[in-house]
Amino acid sequence: MDATGLHRPASWGETLAALGFLLMFPLFLLVGLLLMPFLKDFQDPGFGLGILLTMVGMLLAALVIGWVKDFPRWVFPYWGMALLISLYMHSFTGTIAGYEVRGGWWVWTPLGIVVLVGLLWRRNLKPVYALFRSLWQDWTLPSFAFYGALPLLVIAAYDEVHNEGAFVTLILVILGIGAIGYMRTQTPWRRFAWLLGGFSLGWMILMAHQVIYWNGRQETGMPKPVTWQDALGWTSEFGAVLLLILSAPVVIGLARRVVRPRQAAPGAG
């Protein structure tokens, strides 16, 4: 991606492509609801595995297209989601769609295939050079990549919460608005403000709902009821860690502000 593309508002087509990391969740939920009347057993593990593999396939296809096109801005959320899934699955041991799964280094194979296909397709390292150039020219891209992992983290935060669909959907919509603002904004600091605003508002709603939901509730296996202080404690700590990761690339933005005046000084270089 060239510098011109980095420093302009994205087109609506690019913006829609960037929202794919959010749209795939309601899309497959809708597909499941539409297919429900035609399935004898909606809980069939094979159906769940088919949905899962389709989502993974779409994710990997987006990564390959992004590689071939020199890492446009819209592909970064997909990388954030893919890296989070790989990191989680690396040490995972359990059941997925009715099948026993044990993690390990093999979970990185899909991303390795993406790299291999990208290299064979382009037959050069120009996309890699474009990636590093883009990361320096627009320091918000790592934040946008991490933003792509937030839907999975929100869903994880709602583990063991019943009837959470409306709140999860609301939070994803808010994250989507933040992503639209990011893609349609020109300057890096304003882009980061959209990401920060989308995450902050969405997480505050999550915290408020979790505090109300868990106050005095005791699920099976819990030694005692959860208090609102407990819920507030873990959601605020988790949110603080996510906020720190999201904001970490600000260091690059500040470094650029220091480097630029030195480069522009008389006699420099």
Side-chain angles (χ1 to χ4, degrees), residues 204-255:
M204 283 190 292
I205 291 174
L206 181 148
M207 290 176 63
H209 180 229
Q210 295 272 2
V211 166
I212 296 172
Y213 179 86
W214 284 111
N215 187 30
R217 184 180 292 268
Q218 183 177 9
E219 298 289 349
T220 303
M222 292 183 175
K224 61 179 181 178
V226 180
T227 66
W228 69 265
Q229 292 94 335
D230 295 330
L232 180 61
W234 80 260
T235 54
S236 59
E237 291 176 4
F238 191 17
V241 172
L242 299 183
L243 179 61
L244 181 62
I245 298 174
L246 182 69
S247 304
V250 167
V251 175
I252 302 176
L254 296 175

Side-chain angles (χ1 to χ4, degrees), residues 18-42:
L19 290 177
F21 76 102
L22 285 167
L23 295 177
M24 67 172 60
F25 293 99
L27 172 63
F28 281 98
L29 177 61
L30 178 61
V31 169
L33 292 175
L34 292 176
L35 292 178
M36 188 182 298
F38 306 99
L39 294 174
K40 294 181 179 179
D41 183 6
F42 190 64

Side-chain angles (χ1 to χ4, degrees), residues 45-153:
F47 175 73
L49 183 62
I51 291 289
L52 179 62
L53 292 178
T54 302
M55 292 183 67
V56 171
M58 292 175 62
L59 177 60
L60 295 179
L63 296 183
V64 170
I65 294 171
W67 184 293
V68 172
K69 291 185 174 293
D70 293 343
F71 290 92
R73 196 187 318 165
W74 61 261
V75 80
F76 281 85
Y78 297 92
W79 278 103
M81 180 176 290
L83 289 172
L84 177 63
I85 293 174
S86 299
L87 286 170
Y88 175 75
M89 291 301 300
H90 179 76
S91 57
F92 178 84
T93 300
T95 303
I96 297 179
Y99 298 90
E100 291 292 331
V101 177
R102 182 179 295 275
W105 287 106
W106 67 269
V107 304
W108 297 94
T109 302
L111 293 185
I113 293 175
V114 169
V115 174
L116 180 62
V117 172
L119 290 173
L120 292 176
W121 194 316
R122 290 295 301 270
R123 299 180 182 277
N124 56 54
L125 293 177
K126 288 183 179 180
V128 179
Y129 299 146
L131 171 62
F132 286 106
R133 185 170 60 250
S134 298
L135 292 175
W136 176 249
Q137 292 174 343
D138 186 354
W139 55 268
T140 68
L141 291 174
S143 293
F144 196 36
F146 179 70
Y147 200 82
L150 289 179
L152 296 177
L153 295 171

